[in-house]
Amino acid sequence: MAPVRSEARVGVLLLLSALSLLSARLVGAAQEPGTAIPAESRPCVDCHAFEFMQRALQDLKKTAYSLDTRTETLLLRAEKRGLCDCFHAIH
């Protein structure tokens, strides 16, 4: 594989620079002055993060309750089985 010549590197860098400048101008031209949404009417990132964390906490609570209930059910079954085994061993 032949090494990339420095002229080719410079050409690619110039092309990328020109494209980035052109795209920045297009974005700036598309947004008219006074059309930006005021910060007061935009929901803040912290609010979204807080809502996400609240939902995640609720999901964790539901999962913990479900696991707790399942564990209790399994323990009761094990105790019942142990009592039944003892009862059958005695009689």
Side-chain angles (χ1 to χ4, degrees):
M1 182 175 200
V4 178
R5 295 180 19 196
S6 63
E7 294 89 16
R9 287 184 190 163
V10 170
V12 169
L13 288 175
L14 286 174
L15 180 63
L16 289 175
S17 299
L19 286 175
S20 65
L21 287 173
L22 181 62
S23 65
R25 285 185 183 170
L26 288 174
V27 169
Q31 192 176 30
E32 297 175 13
T35 59
I37 300 171
E40 299 84 32
S41 62
R42 287 181 288 172
C44 65
V45 175
D46 291 338
C47 297
H48 288 300
F50 181 73
E51 290 171 1
F52 175 79
M53 293 303 288
Q54 276 187 322
R55 285 193 301 272
L57 183 60
Q58 288 172 352
D59 290 344
L60 284 173
K61 286 180 181 178
K62 288 178 186 175
T63 303
Y65 178 76
S66 177
L67 288 173
D68 188 43
T69 304
R70 181 76 176 141
T71 303
E72 189 174 333
T73 303
L74 290 173
L75 285 174
L76 289 173
R77 282 187 191 169
E79 288 176 3
K80 181 179 176 185
R81 185 177 298 140
L83 289 173
C84 290
D85 290 345
C86 286
F87 182 75
H88 291 298
I90 294 173
H91 294 336

